């Protein structure tokens, strides 16, 4: 449609930005130091920007242009207001504590479950499973593939039951929260039973190193040669090392 709309003479424009502020619809922006009409449909043709221009670079013209879109202008204003509010929020204070306690939030893509999804079966083979509570001479340790897992791994890694716990005796602990050295009890478990292999599941955070250290110490102190490996998970649930 042919309608009245502003025209900006870039030769006269000094890039002061007064018109950008004066335009309540957000139709004008600065590009490479010069005012520019960003979208025809944002310009209502009322010319609030004209008096604010100190060099007379803005005038009216009549030409083919998209009709003024009030809804688009409103949505653009709301978007800019939200962005400004976000920028105005104070930055999160620097974190000085244990890395394992540093707050994080993960935004997962939500997908609809399959219509015929079969509920996953637990692969926990015994009870209790806490390192502090399991009896050293429990019969399920005899001939077992031992899985020593940090508490958090079961929540960080979705497929832990099928991929790691299946066919294993699983014992769990957290050296940070339990505040104990597991190496003595793990040594007795390995020394007193016919353990076939040892797998340690830990998180990437430094405090989880205590669990790995306890398991390795127990293997050394048991005077047995047993295959072992350590799997490390990131806090967002990826396998970092295995």
């Amino acid at each position: 449609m042919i309608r009245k709309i502003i025209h900006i003479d870039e030769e006269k424009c000094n890039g002061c930005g007064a018109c950008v502020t004066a335009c309540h619809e957000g139709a004008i922006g600065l590009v490479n130091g010069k005012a520019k009409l960003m979208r025809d449909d944002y310009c209502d043709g009322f010319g609030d920007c004209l008096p604010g221009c100190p060099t007379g670079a803005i005038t009216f013209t009549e030409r083919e242009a998209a009709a003024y879109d009030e809804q688009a202008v409103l949505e653009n204003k709301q978007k800019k207001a939200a962005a400004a509010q976000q920028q105005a929020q104070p930055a999160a204070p620097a974190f000085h504590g244990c890395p394992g306690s540093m707050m994080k939030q993960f935004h997962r893509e939500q997908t609809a479950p399959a219509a015929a999804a079969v509920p996953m079966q637990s692969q926990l083979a015994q009870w209790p499973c806490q390192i502090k509570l399991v009896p050293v001479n429990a019969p399920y340790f005899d001939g077992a593939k031992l899985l020593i897992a940090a508490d958090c791994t079961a929540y960080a890694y979705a497929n832990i039951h099928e991929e790691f716990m299946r066919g294993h005796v699983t014992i769990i602990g957290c050296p940070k929260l339990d505040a104990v050295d597991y190496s003595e009890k793990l040594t007795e478990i390995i020394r007193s039973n016919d353990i076939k292999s040892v797998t340690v599941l830990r998180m990437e955070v430094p405090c989880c190193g205590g669990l790995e250290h306890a398991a390795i110490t127990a293997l050394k102190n048991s005077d047995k040669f047993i295959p072992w490996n350590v799997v490390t998970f990131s806090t967002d649930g990826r396998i970092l090392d295995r």
Side-chain angles (χ1 to χ4, degrees), residues 66-81:
Y68 173 62
D69 189 338
E70 185 175 2
Q71 182 61 36
V73 169
L74 179 61
E75 291 175 359
N76 185 50
K77 286 182 178 180
Q78 292 173 341
K79 183 178 179 181
K80 286 184 175 181

Side-chain angles (χ1 to χ4, degrees), residues 136-209:
V136 170
N137 294 309
Y140 46 74
F141 283 131
D142 191 35
K145 296 178 180 178
L146 185 61
L147 183 70
I148 305 172
D151 293 355
C152 297
T153 57
Y155 298 94
Y157 192 70
N159 202 38
I160 192 169
H161 279 257
E162 287 297 323
E163 194 167 338
F164 293 101
M165 291 175 61
R166 178 182 286 275
H168 289 73
V169 168
T170 302
I171 55 177
I172 65 173
C174 175
K176 181 179 179 66
L177 298 182
D178 288 345
V180 296
D181 182 1
Y182 296 127
S183 59
E184 184 175 342
K185 186 164 189 179
L186 291 176
T187 298
E188 290 304 310
I189 290 173
I190 295 172
R191 180 183 289 158
S192 304
N193 299 280
D194 182 22
I195 302 295
K196 299 300 184 183
S197 66
V198 173
T199 300
V200 179
L201 304 185
R202 59 161 293 181
M203 301 300 298
E204 63 178 323
V205 294
C207 50
C208 244

